Amino acid sequence: MHAALAVHRVVADQAANLTSITRLTREAADRGAGLVVFSETALTGFVGNDDPVHDRLLAQPVSGPVTEQLGALSSESGIWIAIGLYEW
């Protein structure tokens, strides 16, 4: 199996990041990868300010809208997606 390491510019807009993640996932699948790997905070970025209240705002429910969308993207593209995110 071929793997792809996807590196994208993470911005403060989670929807924009998800659009980039979707595009890169499809591109990796089109190039024959069976796995695409993103950074740990590819969806939200990370600002280490030691404030749990701030970090909680970045968290995603599992299972939730983002994980459901990534699961559908994985199925549709025929590729495994490895991505780290803050879990709610």
Side-chain angles (χ1 to χ4, degrees):
M1 172 183 5
H2 290 94
L5 175 61
V7 180
H8 71 109
R9 182 179 179 98
V10 179
V11 297
D13 181 351
Q14 289 186 33
N17 291 331
L18 192 53
T19 298
S20 179
I21 289 165
T22 299
R23 179 181 53 79
L24 290 170
T25 297
R26 289 186 175 136
E27 183 179 319
D30 289 346
R31 292 182 177 200
L35 168 70
V36 61
V37 180
F38 290 90
S39 67
E40 182 178 7
T41 57
L43 180 64
T44 60
F46 180 72
V47 177
N49 60 9
D50 293 326
D51 180 2
V53 174
H54 171 266
D55 292 348
R56 183 175 286 173
L57 295 174
L58 301 174
Q60 298 292 319
V62 178
S63 167
V66 170
T67 57
E68 293 292 326
Q69 186 171 348
L70 291 172
L73 175 62
S74 175
S75 293
E76 165 194 313
S77 301
I79 189 171
W80 291 92
I81 301 171
I83 189 168
L85 51 84
Y86 294 115
E87 296 178 19
W88 181 257

